[in-house]
Amino acid sequence: MKLPPKRTTWISSTIAGGNRPAEADDPFEELDEQEDAPAAEASPSDLADDLAELLSDSQVSRLDEVLATHATDKWYASHPPDVVVFAESTDDVAKVLTYAYERGIPVTTRGAGVGYVGGCVPVEGGIALSLARMTRILELNPADGVAVVQPGVITGDLQKAARELGWDYPPDPASLKECSLGGNIATNAGGPRCLKYGVTRNYVLGLEVVLADGRIVSCGGRVHKNKTGFDLVGLFTGSEGMLGIVTTATLRLIPRPPCRAMLAAVFPEFAAAAGAVQGILNSGHLPSALEITDGFTLAAARNRLGADRLPDGNAHLIVEVDGRPRAVASEIEELEELLTTLGATRIDRADTEEACEAIWQLRREFSYSLRDTGLTKLNEDIVVPRSQLVELVAFARQLEQETGIAVACFGHAGDGNIHTNLMVADYHDPSTRATADAALDRLFSWVLDHGGAITGEHGVGLAKKPWIHQALGETGLDVHQALKDALDPDRILNPGKFLD
């Protein structure tokens, strides 16, 4: 067959959905108005035949339901790929990228598909390259303090395997039972324990990465200190699939703390709970987690779980400490006394593993409780300096009053990463969506003006693309573009995202 020529465009239909600021440049306008691309010299079925010959029939699909699954994530944008390829090895990924690079075919990598920003939506069609079958934990080595994994390994599965050996992999996004380590690396994911233990980047020692042209680079390694050359591990971690595709990761493990305990404290107002966060840290404590929740979220949780599961109050603070048993017992006593002096009206204490897990399960229900409201949840993972927590929620209440859109705030108070959720009724109505998008624009502008960031762990993807110039600045964006041009000059990797 005659292979397709260098790509001019591979978009075959318009993209659906998407947040956008009311007065900013619309990143979807070109897609919305574009006419169908001219026919390529090879059809998508020819492309699938080529890839099946390159790999195997069982690794390539053009079934409608498979294309639909790989057209979207948990956000609202959707665009089908022309073909889905299921890689099973580094060699598979290298073959696909070599083939795609020579022909200018776009390739969008997909992990577990549970992102919130449209990061794995193949907006230019082409190949959706799934890593979901690369699920092997290749090595667990407590002697070296490392795990070597493929990118499709589910985060919770690695944690479980490490803990069975008395070790731990600390990063724990709320979706840890369904998100993949490759996706965590792509977005530099965090979680509640970032305050004490850090984010994904702090645990990535080495990576094997397939570049856009099919070459394979190994960076970092299995040692815990390494200053050889540039920090390429840091470059690829958080790059959202736009600089290369991670096929193997060497991750740092730490000894698992043998004991933990938790406090769940209720406060009459959010300001008091936020003040308690500073009070805890100022007193010399470094909890493994500090999670805060506002009144709207608590009300939704009571509706889902029952009023008896969550007592009255307009703010909720979860404090977790871990370490040696006697140290934990002493610290949890001190913290309980401290929270009482800081205004907590009720404190529930968990001293056993089962009781701690029950509190965490309650915390994981908050997001589902907001979904149960029937409103569209625009989940924004903004970050502000900790000193701005009260001001953030005050701004959210002001935004709520001025727009009529409820705003729910909860999340990682210890590092200022507060999930600020716009709860929108009838989001698909154009006028309602315009109001919501204008509210998002105000939220992001406020966050940037107060020294914050528009994303702490979800990534930029499509959802936050309209604000990337404001967030990075002119020179910062130029540096990003230069790196992209150096590693992916034809821009075949995850095209259409925030660098296009």
Side-chain angles (χ1 to χ4, degrees), residues 294-307:
D294 73 352
F296 185 97
T297 306
L298 291 172
R302 293 186 189 105
N303 287 335
R304 175 181 172 88
L305 305 172

Side-chain angles (χ1 to χ4, degrees), residues 131-327:
L131 305 180
R133 293 184 185 176
M134 298 180 67
T135 59
R136 294 174 58 203
I137 298 177
L138 302 172
E139 181 184 357
L140 280 175
N141 190 323
D144 286 348
V146 301
V148 183
V149 302
Q150 291 183 314
V153 173
I154 299 302
T155 305
D157 291 345
L158 175 61
Q159 283 191 353
K160 180 180 178 181
R163 288 173 180 178
E164 287 174 354
L165 299 178
W167 287 69
D168 197 15
Y169 177 71
D172 61 336
S175 58
L176 64 91
K177 293 182 180 180
E178 55 182 345
C179 64
S180 67
L181 290 165
N184 290 176
I185 292 168
T187 61
N188 194 20
R193 294 197 289 171
C194 294
L195 171 63
K196 182 175 182 179
Y197 291 107
V199 296
T200 296
R201 173 63 187 94
N202 302 112
Y203 295 87
V204 183
L205 298 175
L207 294 174
E208 178 183 73
V209 181
V210 182
L211 301 177
D213 59 6
R215 290 180 298 158
I216 301 170
V217 60
S218 293
C219 49
R222 61 188 296 122
V223 295
H224 290 242
K225 297 177 75 174
N226 186 344
K227 178 55 198 80
T228 309
F230 295 145
D231 181 12
L232 298 183
V233 171
L235 177 66
F236 289 113
T237 302
S239 62
E240 301 189 35
M242 292 188 289
L243 300 180
I245 298 177
V246 172
T247 53
T248 307
T250 302
L251 305 174
R252 181 165 70 100
L253 302 179
I254 64 171
R256 186 184 184 192
C259 181
R260 65 172 171 164
M262 296 180 70
L263 299 172
V266 177
F267 290 84
E269 300 296 339
F270 189 93
V277 170
Q278 292 291 359
I280 289 169
L281 298 172
N282 289 340
S283 66
H285 295 279
L286 182 60
S288 52
L290 272 172
E291 295 286 297
I292 199 168
T293 309
D294 73 352
F296 185 97
T297 306
L298 291 172
R302 293 186 189 105
N303 287 335
R304 175 181 172 88
L305 305 172
D308 57 320
R309 296 285 304 279
L310 286 163
D312 291 339
N314 289 316
H316 189 259
L317 187 66
I318 294 173
V319 186
E320 180 187 79
V321 295
D322 61 11
R324 306 303 301 176
R326 282 188 290 181

